[in-house]
Amino acid sequence: MIVRSMSVHEIHNELFKDLHSIQTKVDIFKKDFGRRVLKASRFPYTYAYDCLSREKNLLVISFTVLKRSQWDNPILGFYGIYNRPDGKYAAALSLEANKSMIYPPHFFKRYRERLVKDDSLSSDAIIRLFFKRQWGIIQAVVDENFEAVFHSFENTSKEE
């Protein structure tokens, strides 16, 4: 269970440990999602399932397909929602990179003010709306090649 005294690193480890414990539920959700996709009429199609882990952490598993033919090979997204004294946090998990991105309550407050513009939605609803619209964590591994490309943009003039 995520508690207020946990560090960011401990939260990351807790959520990834929970992902391994819910693998059988993911398989069940994938079958149900396939049935939903075959009945759907609008694409891309996204559906999210709530899953309470053994440690009582709320994990949300999001399935997305761009077209009907992908019903058996959806794009998976995982994020956790948890409480801290200053509000609701969300942690998006990237399985390929073994990384997590933590979104604080202030981020969702600004998201509500600037993009959603609806004060009637709860914090949970805002978090779910954000992840429904957002498809994943965008990351880049910074190495010499990445830095060289970045520096090449710094050195160009404004006319180019």
Side-chain angles (χ1 to χ4, degrees), residues 16-52:
F16 271 90
K17 184 178 72 172
D18 284 348
L19 275 181
H20 296 296
S21 71
I22 63 165
Q23 185 58 44
T24 56
K25 290 182 182 179
V26 172
D27 296 336
I28 293 168
F29 294 151
K30 186 176 178 181
K31 285 182 182 180
D32 180 65
F33 180 73
R35 286 191 289 274
R36 290 176 182 274
V37 168
L38 295 174
K39 293 177 185 177
S41 59
R42 290 186 170 185
F43 293 91
Y45 182 76
T46 300
Y47 194 81
Y49 297 89
D50 290 355
C51 187
L52 205 57

PDB file of all heavy atoms in Angstrom, residues 16-52:
ATOM      1  N   PHE A  16       5.257  -1.291  -9.671  1.00  0.00           N
ATOM      2  CA  PHE A  16       5.736  -2.332 -10.579  1.00  0.00           C
ATOM      3  C   PHE A  16       5.580  -3.718  -9.973  1.00  0.00           C
ATOM      4  O   PHE A  16       5.316  -4.685 -10.683  1.00  0.00           O
ATOM      5  CB  PHE A  16       7.187  -2.066 -10.997  1.00  0.00           C
ATOM      6  CG  PHE A  16       7.278  -1.207 -12.225  1.00  0.00           C
ATOM      7  CD1 PHE A  16       7.336   0.169 -12.118  1.00  0.00           C
ATOM      8  CD2 PHE A  16       7.265  -1.771 -13.481  1.00  0.00           C
ATOM      9  CE1 PHE A  16       7.395   0.968 -13.246  1.00  0.00           C
ATOM     10  CE2 PHE A  16       7.321  -0.983 -14.620  1.00  0.00           C
ATOM     11  CZ  PHE A  16       7.385   0.395 -14.505  1.00  0.00           C
ATOM     12  N   LYS A  17       5.724  -3.824  -8.665  1.00  0.00           N
ATOM     13  CA  LYS A  17       5.485  -5.105  -7.997  1.00  0.00           C
ATOM     14  C   LYS A  17       4.011  -5.492  -8.137  1.00  0.00           C
ATOM     15  O   LYS A  17       3.687  -6.655  -8.390  1.00  0.00           O
ATOM     16  CB  LYS A  17       5.875  -4.997  -6.515  1.00  0.00           C
ATOM     17  CG  LYS A  17       5.757  -6.294  -5.744  1.00  0.00           C
ATOM     18  CD  LYS A  17       6.206  -6.114  -4.305  1.00  0.00           C
ATOM     19  CE  LYS A  17       5.149  -5.311  -3.594  1.00  0.00           C
ATOM     20  NZ  LYS A  17       5.330  -5.203  -2.160  1.00  0.00           N
ATOM     21  N   ASP A  18       3.127  -4.515  -8.015  1.00  0.00           N
ATOM     22  CA  ASP A  18       1.698  -4.771  -8.177  1.00  0.00           C
ATOM     23  C   ASP A  18       1.345  -5.220  -9.587  1.00  0.00           C
ATOM     24  O   ASP A  18       0.446  -6.039  -9.780  1.00  0.00           O
ATOM     25  CB  ASP A  18       0.886  -3.527  -7.821  1.00  0.00           C
ATOM     26  CG  ASP A  18       0.795  -3.299  -6.334  1.00  0.00           C
ATOM     27  OD1 ASP A  18       1.161  -4.212  -5.566  1.00  0.00           O
ATOM     28  OD2 ASP A  18       0.370  -2.199  -5.930  1.00  0.00           O
ATOM     29  N   LEU A  19       2.026  -4.670 -10.585  1.00  0.00           N
ATOM     30  CA  LEU A  19       1.741  -5.068 -11.973  1.00  0.00           C
ATOM     31  C   LEU A  19       1.950  -6.558 -12.185  1.00  0.00           C
ATOM     32  O   LEU A  19       1.169  -7.201 -12.880  1.00  0.00           O
ATOM     33  CB  LEU A  19       2.630  -4.290 -12.938  1.00  0.00           C
ATOM     34  CG  LEU A  19       2.145  -2.928 -13.364  1.00  0.00           C
ATOM     35  CD1 LEU A  19       3.120  -2.300 -14.343  1.00  0.00           C
ATOM     36  CD2 LEU A  19       0.764  -2.981 -13.965  1.00  0.00           C
ATOM     37  N   HIS A  20       2.968  -7.098 -11.590  1.00  0.00           N
ATOM     38  CA  HIS A  20       3.232  -8.529 -11.739  1.00  0.00           C
ATOM     39  C   HIS A  20       2.164  -9.373 -11.039  1.00  0.00           C
ATOM     40  O   HIS A  20       1.851 -10.468 -11.493  1.00  0.00           O
ATOM     41  CB  HIS A  20       4.623  -8.876 -11.208  1.00  0.00           C
ATOM     42  CG  HIS A  20       5.725  -8.220 -11.975  1.00  0.00           C
ATOM     43  ND1 HIS A  20       5.973  -8.498 -13.299  1.00  0.00           N
ATOM     44  CD2 HIS A  20       6.614  -7.268 -11.622  1.00  0.00           C
ATOM     45  CE1 HIS A  20       6.982  -7.760 -13.727  1.00  0.00           C
ATOM     46  NE2 HIS A  20       7.391  -7.007 -12.728  1.00  0.00           N
ATOM     47  N   SER A  21       1.590  -8.839  -9.976  1.00  0.00           N
ATOM     48  CA  SER A  21       0.593  -9.616  -9.236  1.00  0.00           C
ATOM     49  C   SER A  21      -0.787  -9.615  -9.893  1.00  0.00           C
ATOM     50  O   SER A  21      -1.633 -10.418  -9.532  1.00  0.00           O
ATOM     51  CB  SER A  21       0.487  -9.096  -7.797  1.00  0.00           C
ATOM     52  OG  SER A  21      -0.137  -7.831  -7.761  1.00  0.00           O
ATOM     53  N   ILE A  22      -1.018  -8.721 -10.857  1.00  0.00           N
ATOM     54  CA  ILE A  22      -2.348  -8.649 -11.488  1.00  0.00           C
ATOM     55  C   ILE A  22      -2.352  -9.185 -12.918  1.00  0.00           C
ATOM     56  O   ILE A  22      -3.302  -8.951 -13.662  1.00  0.00           O
ATOM     57  CB  ILE A  22      -2.902  -7.208 -11.467  1.00  0.00           C
ATOM     58  CG1 ILE A  22      -2.007  -6.276 -12.285  1.00  0.00           C
ATOM     59  CG2 ILE A  22      -3.101  -6.712 -10.056  1.00  0.00           C
ATOM     60  CD1 ILE A  22      -2.664  -4.966 -12.606  1.00  0.00           C
ATOM     61  N   GLN A  23      -1.333  -9.913 -13.305  1.00  0.00           N
ATOM     62  CA  GLN A  23      -1.214 -10.391 -14.687  1.00  0.00           C
ATOM     63  C   GLN A  23      -2.416 -11.232 -15.121  1.00  0.00           C
ATOM     64  O   GLN A  23      -2.883 -11.115 -16.249  1.00  0.00           O
ATOM     65  CB  GLN A  23       0.081 -11.185 -14.876  1.00  0.00           C
ATOM     66  CG  GLN A  23       0.339 -11.616 -16.302  1.00  0.00           C
ATOM     67  CD  GLN A  23       0.405 -10.439 -17.270  1.00  0.00           C
ATOM     68  OE1 GLN A  23       1.028  -9.440 -16.982  1.00  0.00           O
ATOM     69  NE2 GLN A  23      -0.269 -10.560 -18.402  1.00  0.00           N
ATOM     70  N   THR A  24      -2.956 -12.076 -14.248  1.00  0.00           N
ATOM     71  CA  THR A  24      -4.114 -12.891 -14.636  1.00  0.00           C
ATOM     72  C   THR A  24      -5.332 -12.016 -14.897  1.00  0.00           C
ATOM     73  O   THR A  24      -6.123 -12.303 -15.803  1.00  0.00           O
ATOM     74  CB  THR A  24      -4.447 -13.935 -13.555  1.00  0.00           C
ATOM     75  OG1 THR A  24      -4.655 -13.265 -12.313  1.00  0.00           O
ATOM     76  CG2 THR A  24      -3.327 -14.948 -13.417  1.00  0.00           C
ATOM     77  N   LYS A  25      -5.479 -10.928 -14.130  1.00  0.00           N
ATOM     78  CA  LYS A  25      -6.595 -10.011 -14.377  1.00  0.00           C
ATOM     79  C   LYS A  25      -6.439  -9.307 -15.716  1.00  0.00           C
ATOM     80  O   LYS A  25      -7.426  -9.067 -16.413  1.00  0.00           O
ATOM     81  CB  LYS A  25      -6.689  -8.990 -13.247  1.00  0.00           C
ATOM     82  CG  LYS A  25      -7.141  -9.579 -11.935  1.00  0.00           C
ATOM     83  CD  LYS A  25      -7.264  -8.512 -10.875  1.00  0.00           C
ATOM     84  CE  LYS A  25      -7.672  -9.127  -9.553  1.00  0.00           C
ATOM     85  NZ  LYS A  25      -7.785  -8.123  -8.489  1.00  0.00           N
ATOM     86  N   VAL A  26      -5.214  -8.983 -16.083  1.00  0.00           N
ATOM     87  CA  VAL A  26      -4.969  -8.330 -17.369  1.00  0.00           C
ATOM     88  C   VAL A  26      -5.427  -9.235 -18.512  1.00  0.00           C
ATOM     89  O   VAL A  26      -6.049  -8.771 -19.472  1.00  0.00           O
ATOM     90  CB  VAL A  26      -3.474  -7.954 -17.530  1.00  0.00           C
ATOM     91  CG1 VAL A  26      -3.183  -7.453 -18.936  1.00  0.00           C
ATOM     92  CG2 VAL A  26      -3.076  -6.904 -16.508  1.00  0.00           C
ATOM     93  N   ASP A  27      -5.156 -10.525 -18.405  1.00  0.00           N
ATOM     94  CA  ASP A  27      -5.581 -11.472 -19.444  1.00  0.00           C
ATOM     95  C   ASP A  27      -7.106 -11.542 -19.546  1.00  0.00           C
ATOM     96  O   ASP A  27      -7.658 -11.603 -20.647  1.00  0.00           O
ATOM     97  CB  ASP A  27      -5.002 -12.860 -19.163  1.00  0.00           C
ATOM     98  CG  ASP A  27      -3.474 -12.875 -19.241  1.00  0.00           C
ATOM     99  OD1 ASP A  27      -2.901 -11.998 -19.922  1.00  0.00           O
ATOM    100  OD2 ASP A  27      -2.866 -13.759 -18.612  1.00  0.00           O
ATOM    101  N   ILE A  28      -7.789 -11.515 -18.415  1.00  0.00           N
ATOM    102  CA  ILE A  28      -9.257 -11.524 -18.412  1.00  0.00           C
ATOM    103  C   ILE A  28      -9.796 -10.243 -19.032  1.00  0.00           C
ATOM    104  O   ILE A  28     -10.721 -10.267 -19.852  1.00  0.00           O
ATOM    105  CB  ILE A  28      -9.788 -11.714 -16.975  1.00  0.00           C
ATOM    106  CG1 ILE A  28      -9.427 -13.111 -16.466  1.00  0.00           C
ATOM    107  CG2 ILE A  28     -11.286 -11.480 -16.911  1.00  0.00           C
ATOM    108  CD1 ILE A  28      -9.640 -13.298 -14.970  1.00  0.00           C
ATOM    109  N   PHE A  29      -9.206  -9.096 -18.659  1.00  0.00           N
ATOM    110  CA  PHE A  29      -9.637  -7.814 -19.214  1.00  0.00           C
ATOM    111  C   PHE A  29      -9.395  -7.755 -20.722  1.00  0.00           C
ATOM    112  O   PHE A  29     -10.187  -7.178 -21.457  1.00  0.00           O
ATOM    113  CB  PHE A  29      -8.904  -6.656 -18.538  1.00  0.00           C
ATOM    114  CG  PHE A  29      -9.228  -6.473 -17.081  1.00  0.00           C
ATOM    115  CD1 PHE A  29      -8.287  -5.933 -16.222  1.00  0.00           C
ATOM    116  CD2 PHE A  29     -10.454  -6.831 -16.549  1.00  0.00           C
ATOM    117  CE1 PHE A  29      -8.567  -5.743 -14.887  1.00  0.00           C
ATOM    118  CE2 PHE A  29     -10.748  -6.663 -15.208  1.00  0.00           C
ATOM    119  CZ  PHE A  29      -9.796  -6.111 -14.370  1.00  0.00           C
ATOM    120  N   LYS A  30      -8.320  -8.368 -21.184  1.00  0.00           N
ATOM    121  CA  LYS A  30      -8.007  -8.350 -22.612  1.00  0.00           C
ATOM    122  C   LYS A  30      -9.077  -9.095 -23.413  1.00  0.00           C
ATOM    123  O   LYS A  30      -9.485  -8.643 -24.482  1.00  0.00           O
ATOM    124  CB  LYS A  30      -6.631  -8.969 -22.858  1.00  0.00           C
ATOM    125  CG  LYS A  30      -6.166  -8.856 -24.287  1.00  0.00           C
ATOM    126  CD  LYS A  30      -4.765  -9.390 -24.456  1.00  0.00           C
ATOM    127  CE  LYS A  30      -4.345  -9.311 -25.903  1.00  0.00           C
ATOM    128  NZ  LYS A  30      -3.002  -9.834 -26.116  1.00  0.00           N
ATOM    129  N   LYS A  31      -9.569 -10.214 -22.890  1.00  0.00           N
ATOM    130  CA  LYS A  31     -10.639 -10.954 -23.570  1.00  0.00           C
ATOM    131  C   LYS A  31     -11.912 -10.118 -23.624  1.00  0.00           C
ATOM    132  O   LYS A  31     -12.581 -10.046 -24.654  1.00  0.00           O
ATOM    133  CB  LYS A  31     -10.919 -12.272 -22.853  1.00  0.00           C
ATOM    134  CG  LYS A  31      -9.884 -13.329 -23.096  1.00  0.00           C
ATOM    135  CD  LYS A  31     -10.255 -14.610 -22.398  1.00  0.00           C
ATOM    136  CE  LYS A  31      -9.197 -15.670 -22.592  1.00  0.00           C
ATOM    137  NZ  LYS A  31      -9.535 -16.918 -21.925  1.00  0.00           N
ATOM    138  N   ASP A  32     -12.257  -9.484 -22.498  1.00  0.00           N
ATOM    139  CA  ASP A  32     -13.447  -8.639 -22.457  1.00  0.00           C
ATOM    140  C   ASP A  32     -13.302  -7.453 -23.412  1.00  0.00           C
ATOM    141  O   ASP A  32     -14.241  -7.096 -24.119  1.00  0.00           O
ATOM    142  CB  ASP A  32     -13.695  -8.139 -21.034  1.00  0.00           C
ATOM    143  CG  ASP A  32     -14.928  -7.268 -20.949  1.00  0.00           C
ATOM    144  OD1 ASP A  32     -16.041  -7.785 -21.177  1.00  0.00           O
ATOM    145  OD2 ASP A  32     -14.779  -6.054 -20.683  1.00  0.00           O
ATOM    146  N   PHE A  33     -12.122  -6.865 -23.450  1.00  0.00           N
ATOM    147  CA  PHE A  33     -11.888  -5.733 -24.341  1.00  0.00           C
ATOM    148  C   PHE A  33     -12.052  -6.154 -25.801  1.00  0.00           C
ATOM    149  O   PHE A  33     -12.629  -5.407 -26.599  1.00  0.00           O
ATOM    150  CB  PHE A  33     -10.487  -5.152 -24.106  1.00  0.00           C
ATOM    151  CG  PHE A  33     -10.182  -3.984 -24.992  1.00  0.00           C
ATOM    152  CD1 PHE A  33     -10.769  -2.752 -24.788  1.00  0.00           C
ATOM    153  CD2 PHE A  33      -9.302  -4.125 -26.056  1.00  0.00           C
ATOM    154  CE1 PHE A  33     -10.490  -1.674 -25.604  1.00  0.00           C
ATOM    155  CE2 PHE A  33      -9.014  -3.060 -26.884  1.00  0.00           C
ATOM    156  CZ  PHE A  33      -9.609  -1.827 -26.659  1.00  0.00           C
ATOM    157  N   GLY A  34     -11.555  -7.335 -26.161  1.00  0.00           N
ATOM    158  CA  GLY A  34     -11.720  -7.828 -27.531  1.00  0.00           C
ATOM    159  C   GLY A  34     -13.180  -7.901 -27.934  1.00  0.00           C
ATOM    160  O   GLY A  34     -13.550  -7.518 -29.047  1.00  0.00           O
ATOM    161  N   ARG A  35     -14.039  -8.363 -27.018  1.00  0.00           N
ATOM    162  CA  ARG A  35     -15.481  -8.414 -27.301  1.00  0.00           C
ATOM    163  C   ARG A  35     -16.049  -7.003 -27.481  1.00  0.00           C
ATOM    164  O   ARG A  35     -16.885  -6.768 -28.354  1.00  0.00           O
ATOM    165  CB  ARG A  35     -16.210  -9.145 -26.179  1.00  0.00           C
ATOM    166  CG  ARG A  35     -15.996 -10.649 -26.186  1.00  0.00           C
ATOM    167  CD  ARG A  35     -16.927 -11.370 -25.229  1.00  0.00           C
ATOM    168  NE  ARG A  35     -16.596 -11.148 -23.828  1.00  0.00           N
ATOM    169  CZ  ARG A  35     -15.712 -11.857 -23.126  1.00  0.00           C
ATOM    170  NH1 ARG A  35     -15.073 -12.855 -23.711  1.00  0.00           N
ATOM    171  NH2 ARG A  35     -15.482 -11.598 -21.868  1.00  0.00           N
ATOM    172  N   ARG A  36     -15.596  -6.070 -26.661  1.00  0.00           N
ATOM    173  CA  ARG A  36     -16.077  -4.688 -26.775  1.00  0.00           C
ATOM    174  C   ARG A  36     -15.667  -4.060 -28.108  1.00  0.00           C
ATOM    175  O   ARG A  36     -16.445  -3.327 -28.718  1.00  0.00           O
ATOM    176  CB  ARG A  36     -15.540  -3.842 -25.624  1.00  0.00           C
ATOM    177  CG  ARG A  36     -16.140  -4.176 -24.293  1.00  0.00           C
ATOM    178  CD  ARG A  36     -15.484  -3.343 -23.178  1.00  0.00           C
ATOM    179  NE  ARG A  36     -16.002  -3.678 -21.885  1.00  0.00           N
ATOM    180  CZ  ARG A  36     -17.085  -3.144 -21.344  1.00  0.00           C
ATOM    181  NH1 ARG A  36     -17.765  -2.228 -22.003  1.00  0.00           N
ATOM    182  NH2 ARG A  36     -17.493  -3.517 -20.150  1.00  0.00           N
ATOM    183  N   VAL A  37     -14.445  -4.331 -28.537  1.00  0.00           N
ATOM    184  CA  VAL A  37     -13.950  -3.763 -29.799  1.00  0.00           C
ATOM    185  C   VAL A  37     -14.777  -4.276 -30.970  1.00  0.00           C
ATOM    186  O   VAL A  37     -15.136  -3.506 -31.867  1.00  0.00           O
ATOM    187  CB  VAL A  37     -12.453  -4.098 -30.007  1.00  0.00           C
ATOM    188  CG1 VAL A  37     -12.001  -3.771 -31.415  1.00  0.00           C
ATOM    189  CG2 VAL A  37     -11.602  -3.365 -28.989  1.00  0.00           C
ATOM    190  N   LEU A  38     -15.100  -5.561 -30.981  1.00  0.00           N
ATOM    191  CA  LEU A  38     -15.868  -6.122 -32.076  1.00  0.00           C
ATOM    192  C   LEU A  38     -17.276  -5.546 -32.163  1.00  0.00           C
ATOM    193  O   LEU A  38     -17.885  -5.541 -33.232  1.00  0.00           O
ATOM    194  CB  LEU A  38     -15.902  -7.653 -31.966  1.00  0.00           C
ATOM    195  CG  LEU A  38     -14.538  -8.330 -32.122  1.00  0.00           C
ATOM    196  CD1 LEU A  38     -14.642  -9.819 -31.842  1.00  0.00           C
ATOM    197  CD2 LEU A  38     -13.948  -8.065 -33.496  1.00  0.00           C
ATOM    198  N   LYS A  39     -17.789  -5.028 -31.045  1.00  0.00           N
ATOM    199  CA  LYS A  39     -19.106  -4.392 -31.034  1.00  0.00           C
ATOM    200  C   LYS A  39     -19.034  -2.887 -31.284  1.00  0.00           C
ATOM    201  O   LYS A  39     -20.059  -2.253 -31.533  1.00  0.00           O
ATOM    202  CB  LYS A  39     -19.789  -4.627 -29.689  1.00  0.00           C
ATOM    203  CG  LYS A  39     -20.144  -6.071 -29.428  1.00  0.00           C
ATOM    204  CD  LYS A  39     -20.746  -6.218 -28.052  1.00  0.00           C
ATOM    205  CE  LYS A  39     -21.009  -7.676 -27.713  1.00  0.00           C
ATOM    206  NZ  LYS A  39     -21.527  -7.839 -26.349  1.00  0.00           N
ATOM    207  N   ALA A  40     -17.847  -2.299 -31.197  1.00  0.00           N
ATOM    208  CA  ALA A  40     -17.693  -0.844 -31.302  1.00  0.00           C
ATOM    209  C   ALA A  40     -17.919  -0.361 -32.728  1.00  0.00           C
ATOM    210  O   ALA A  40     -17.697  -1.091 -33.695  1.00  0.00           O
ATOM    211  CB  ALA A  40     -16.302  -0.436 -30.833  1.00  0.00           C
ATOM    212  N   SER A  41     -18.343   0.892 -32.834  1.00  0.00           N
ATOM    213  CA  SER A  41     -18.567   1.471 -34.160  1.00  0.00           C
ATOM    214  C   SER A  41     -17.666   2.673 -34.435  1.00  0.00           C
ATOM    215  O   SER A  41     -17.582   3.127 -35.573  1.00  0.00           O
ATOM    216  CB  SER A  41     -20.030   1.893 -34.303  1.00  0.00           C
ATOM    217  OG  SER A  41     -20.354   2.841 -33.308  1.00  0.00           O
ATOM    218  N   ARG A  42     -16.997   3.210 -33.402  1.00  0.00           N
ATOM    219  CA  ARG A  42     -16.112   4.362 -33.581  1.00  0.00           C
ATOM    220  C   ARG A  42     -14.696   4.000 -33.152  1.00  0.00           C
ATOM    221  O   ARG A  42     -14.507   3.385 -32.105  1.00  0.00           O
ATOM    222  CB  ARG A  42     -16.597   5.547 -32.756  1.00  0.00           C
ATOM    223  CG  ARG A  42     -17.853   6.137 -33.273  1.00  0.00           C
ATOM    224  CD  ARG A  42     -18.175   7.363 -32.497  1.00  0.00           C
ATOM    225  NE  ARG A  42     -19.257   8.068 -33.152  1.00  0.00           N
ATOM    226  CZ  ARG A  42     -19.693   9.224 -32.751  1.00  0.00           C
ATOM    227  NH1 ARG A  42     -19.167   9.805 -31.714  1.00  0.00           N
ATOM    228  NH2 ARG A  42     -20.679   9.807 -33.397  1.00  0.00           N
ATOM    229  N   PHE A  43     -13.748   4.455 -33.939  1.00  0.00           N
ATOM    230  CA  PHE A  43     -12.348   4.174 -33.653  1.00  0.00           C
ATOM    231  C   PHE A  43     -11.539   5.442 -33.776  1.00  0.00           C
ATOM    232  O   PHE A  43     -11.903   6.302 -34.573  1.00  0.00           O
ATOM    233  CB  PHE A  43     -11.830   3.074 -34.598  1.00  0.00           C
ATOM    234  CG  PHE A  43     -12.492   1.755 -34.336  1.00  0.00           C
ATOM    235  CD1 PHE A  43     -13.647   1.400 -35.008  1.00  0.00           C
ATOM    236  CD2 PHE A  43     -11.981   0.905 -33.382  1.00  0.00           C
ATOM    237  CE1 PHE A  43     -14.279   0.193 -34.750  1.00  0.00           C
ATOM    238  CE2 PHE A  43     -12.601  -0.306 -33.119  1.00  0.00           C
ATOM    239  CZ  PHE A  43     -13.758  -0.656 -33.805  1.00  0.00           C
ATOM    240  N   PRO A  44     -10.465   5.605 -33.046  1.00  0.00           N
ATOM    241  CA  PRO A  44      -9.864   4.668 -32.097  1.00  0.00           C
ATOM    242  C   PRO A  44     -10.780   4.431 -30.905  1.00  0.00           C
ATOM    243  O   PRO A  44     -11.573   5.294 -30.526  1.00  0.00           O
ATOM    244  CB  PRO A  44      -8.559   5.333 -31.675  1.00  0.00           C
ATOM    245  CG  PRO A  44      -8.683   6.756 -32.067  1.00  0.00           C
ATOM    246  CD  PRO A  44      -9.707   6.855 -33.140  1.00  0.00           C
ATOM    247  N   TYR A  45     -10.654   3.266 -30.315  1.00  0.00           N
ATOM    248  CA  TYR A  45     -11.499   2.851 -29.197  1.00  0.00           C
ATOM    249  C   TYR A  45     -10.610   2.589 -27.982  1.00  0.00           C
ATOM    250  O   TYR A  45      -9.598   1.905 -28.073  1.00  0.00           O
ATOM    251  CB  TYR A  45     -12.279   1.587 -29.576  1.00  0.00           C
ATOM    252  CG  TYR A  45     -13.217   1.109 -28.501  1.00  0.00           C
ATOM    253  CD1 TYR A  45     -14.417   1.756 -28.266  1.00  0.00           C
ATOM    254  CD2 TYR A  45     -12.896   0.009 -27.715  1.00  0.00           C
ATOM    255  CE1 TYR A  45     -15.286   1.321 -27.288  1.00  0.00           C
ATOM    256  CE2 TYR A  45     -13.763  -0.435 -26.729  1.00  0.00           C
ATOM    257  CZ  TYR A  45     -14.952   0.234 -26.516  1.00  0.00           C
ATOM    258  OH  TYR A  45     -15.809  -0.200 -25.541  1.00  0.00           O
ATOM    259  N   THR A  46     -11.017   3.166 -26.858  1.00  0.00           N
ATOM    260  CA  THR A  46     -10.269   3.010 -25.608  1.00  0.00           C
ATOM    261  C   THR A  46     -11.227   2.611 -24.505  1.00  0.00           C
ATOM    262  O   THR A  46     -12.351   3.129 -24.425  1.00  0.00           O
ATOM    263  CB  THR A  46      -9.576   4.330 -25.218  1.00  0.00           C
ATOM    264  OG1 THR A  46      -8.681   4.704 -26.255  1.00  0.00           O
ATOM    265  CG2 THR A  46      -8.815   4.200 -23.922  1.00  0.00           C
ATOM    266  N   TYR A  47     -10.777   1.709 -23.661  1.00  0.00           N
ATOM    267  CA  TYR A  47     -11.553   1.319 -22.489  1.00  0.00           C
ATOM    268  C   TYR A  47     -10.571   1.039 -21.357  1.00  0.00           C
ATOM    269  O   TYR A  47      -9.509   0.462 -21.576  1.00  0.00           O
ATOM    270  CB  TYR A  47     -12.407   0.076 -22.768  1.00  0.00           C
ATOM    271  CG  TYR A  47     -13.467  -0.160 -21.729  1.00  0.00           C
ATOM    272  CD1 TYR A  47     -14.659   0.534 -21.763  1.00  0.00           C
ATOM    273  CD2 TYR A  47     -13.256  -1.062 -20.701  1.00  0.00           C
ATOM    274  CE1 TYR A  47     -15.633   0.336 -20.806  1.00  0.00           C
ATOM    275  CE2 TYR A  47     -14.222  -1.271 -19.732  1.00  0.00           C
ATOM    276  CZ  TYR A  47     -15.411  -0.564 -19.783  1.00  0.00           C
ATOM    277  OH  TYR A  47     -16.359  -0.761 -18.827  1.00  0.00           O
ATOM    278  N   ALA A  48     -10.927   1.480 -20.156  1.00  0.00           N
ATOM    279  CA  ALA A  48     -10.044   1.312 -19.002  1.00  0.00           C
ATOM    280  C   ALA A  48     -10.728   0.466 -17.934  1.00  0.00           C
ATOM    281  O   ALA A  48     -11.940   0.570 -17.718  1.00  0.00           O
ATOM    282  CB  ALA A  48      -9.669   2.668 -18.425  1.00  0.00           C
ATOM    283  N   TYR A  49      -9.938  -0.364 -17.282  1.00  0.00           N
ATOM    284  CA  TYR A  49     -10.410  -1.243 -16.214  1.00  0.00           C
ATOM    285  C   TYR A  49      -9.695  -0.877 -14.913  1.00  0.00           C
ATOM    286  O   TYR A  49      -8.480  -0.697 -14.901  1.00  0.00           O
ATOM    287  CB  TYR A  49     -10.097  -2.710 -16.541  1.00  0.00           C
ATOM    288  CG  TYR A  49     -10.781  -3.217 -17.774  1.00  0.00           C
ATOM    289  CD1 TYR A  49     -10.201  -3.094 -19.027  1.00  0.00           C
ATOM    290  CD2 TYR A  49     -12.021  -3.843 -17.694  1.00  0.00           C
ATOM    291  CE1 TYR A  49     -10.821  -3.572 -20.154  1.00  0.00           C
ATOM    292  CE2 TYR A  49     -12.649  -4.332 -18.820  1.00  0.00           C
ATOM    293  CZ  TYR A  49     -12.043  -4.187 -20.047  1.00  0.00           C
ATOM    294  OH  TYR A  49     -12.674  -4.665 -21.179  1.00  0.00           O
ATOM    295  N   ASP A  50     -10.461  -0.791 -13.842  1.00  0.00           N
ATOM    296  CA  ASP A  50      -9.881  -0.571 -12.515  1.00  0.00           C
ATOM    297  C   ASP A  50      -9.506  -1.910 -11.917  1.00  0.00           C
ATOM    298  O   ASP A  50     -10.246  -2.884 -12.036  1.00  0.00           O
ATOM    299  CB  ASP A  50     -10.877   0.112 -11.583  1.00  0.00           C
ATOM    300  CG  ASP A  50     -11.133   1.555 -11.971  1.00  0.00           C
ATOM    301  OD1 ASP A  50     -10.475   2.052 -12.895  1.00  0.00           O
ATOM    302  OD2 ASP A  50     -11.993   2.191 -11.335  1.00  0.00           O
ATOM    303  N   CYS A  51      -8.380  -1.924 -11.255  1.00  0.00           N
ATOM    304  CA  CYS A  51      -7.910  -3.161 -10.645  1.00  0.00           C
ATOM    305  C   CYS A  51      -7.277  -2.816  -9.301  1.00  0.00           C
ATOM    306  O   CYS A  51      -6.349  -2.015  -9.232  1.00  0.00           O
ATOM    307  CB  CYS A  51      -6.901  -3.823 -11.563  1.00  0.00           C
ATOM    308  SG  CYS A  51      -6.396  -5.440 -11.016  1.00  0.00           S
ATOM    309  N   LEU A  52      -7.791  -3.407  -8.248  1.00  0.00           N
ATOM    310  CA  LEU A  52      -7.229  -3.219  -6.919  1.00  0.00           C
ATOM    311  C   LEU A  52      -6.229  -4.341  -6.676  1.00  0.00           C
ATOM    312  O   LEU A  52      -6.569  -5.513  -6.758  1.00  0.00           O
ATOM    313  CB  LEU A  52      -8.353  -3.253  -5.872  1.00  0.00           C
ATOM    314  CG  LEU A  52      -8.102  -2.536  -4.570  1.00  0.00           C
ATOM    315  CD1 LEU A  52      -7.777  -1.075  -4.805  1.00  0.00           C
ATOM    316  CD2 LEU A  52      -9.303  -2.656  -3.667  1.00  0.00           C
TER     317      LEU A  52
END
